[in-house]
Amino acid sequence: MDQLKIGAFIAERRKKQGLTQLQLAERLNVTDKAISKWETGRGLPDAALMLPLCEILGVTVNDLLSGEVVQMENYNKELEQKLVEMMREKEKNDRQLLKLEWVIGILSMIILFVPIIIAAYLPMQDWQRIVLVFSGFIPCFVGFFFALKIEQIAGYYECKHCKHRYVPTMKAINRAMHAGRTRYMKCPDCGKKSWQRKVIGKE
Ligand SMILES: [Zn+2]
């Protein structure tokens, strides 16, 4: 695939639709930097974004990946099939990531609490106790950070009001009240706040 050609094609179609990079970014829930990256051939849209992007640009997935409008008789159904497979693959990966989050979370708790328990029950100098207790803090913090990062990127959060599914920013994740993986956040689409649950598929 010729990324430069695809990028130029995206830019051309976007302008034809009268959209700025920012407007297109907002409709796809990505940053305008991502759009600029695609248009300059430095990256391709995520598989999950491919169909909504094509819809906005008024082209088929095959057109997009060919970097031009392909004649109907050459239309390749296999390509769309491939995309559906790519999306399924992402869903499978997301499920595994969310399982991994559990493992990281539990390990982090062990790393945090085992030294505290040892420090509480084994005879030792006070300074040794302090060092031991704090030794668990940093790896535990790193573990929680990774677990949170997984929670941000794996799957989507779904707005209760408009059913919009999106990937929130790390800032929104950090700030949100949560019960398990369900988080109280503001929907970027309808702007209403609700308890949003984690879902795997885009639709
Ligand atoms: Zn909403």
Side-chain angles (χ1 to χ4, degrees), residues 4 16 53 77-78 98 103 119 177 182 202:
L4 278 173
K16 219 172 206 172
L53 174 65
K77 202 78 195 159
E78 265 176 43
L98 288 172
V103 176
M177 280 189 288
T182 302
K202 182 83 182 160

Side-chain angles (χ1 to χ4, degrees), residues 40-166:
T40 50
R42 283 174 295 135
L44 283 173
D46 197 51
L49 289 171
M50 209 63 99
L51 288 173
L53 174 65
C54 288
E55 205 174 301
I56 294 168
L57 299 180
V59 296
T60 66
V61 173
N62 197 18
D63 294 341
L64 190 95
L65 294 180
S66 308
E68 62 192 359
V69 176
V70 178
Q71 292 310 310
M72 238 1 221
E73 50 264 35
N74 304 331
Y75 189 82
N76 189 355
K77 202 78 195 159
E78 265 176 43
L79 208 55
E80 302 233 329
Q81 191 57 41
K82 206 155 237 128
L83 242 116
V84 172
E85 276 167 31
M86 273 166 79
M87 277 161 96
R88 289 218 179 99
E89 194 65 23
K90 173 171 162 34
E91 287 177 12
K92 206 178 98 197
N93 288 340
D94 283 353
R95 280 202 184 89
Q96 278 167 353
L97 272 177
L98 288 172
K99 273 184 207 148
L100 181 66
E101 187 199 353
W102 270 107
V103 176
I104 293 174
I106 290 165
L107 281 178
S108 300
M109 293 301 277
I110 293 172
I111 290 168
L112 180 66
F113 284 111
V114 169
I116 292 176
I117 292 165
I118 293 172
Y121 291 104
L122 283 180
M124 62 180 79
Q125 303 278 321
D126 276 350
W127 69 266
Q128 288 173 318
R129 251 185 255 283
I130 291 166
V131 169
L132 194 57
V133 167
F134 280 96
S135 70
F137 272 48
I138 292 165
C140 173
F141 182 79
V142 172
F144 272 119
F145 177 79
F146 275 108
L148 215 55
K149 189 71 199 162
I150 288 175
E151 208 163 304
Q152 181 206 4
I153 60 168
Y156 306 89
Y157 280 93
E158 187 186 71
C159 168
K160 251 190 189 163
H161 299 286
C162 68
K163 304 289 173 204
H164 176 60
R165 292 183 173 188
Y166 71 104

Side-chain angles (χ1 to χ4, degrees), residues 6-14 24 38-39 45 53 57 64:
I6 294 172
F9 182 62
I10 293 174
E12 179 205 317
R13 295 298 306 195
R14 170 179 62 73
L24 179 59
W38 305 339
E39 291 188 353
L53 174 65
L57 299 180
L64 190 95

Side-chain angles (χ1 to χ4, degrees), residues 158-161 183-185 192-196:
E158 187 186 71
C159 168
K160 251 190 189 163
H161 299 286
R183 284 173 190 273
Y184 190 73
M185 292 187 292
K192 287 182 192 157
K193 285 188 167 181
S194 63
W195 283 97
Q196 300 172 358

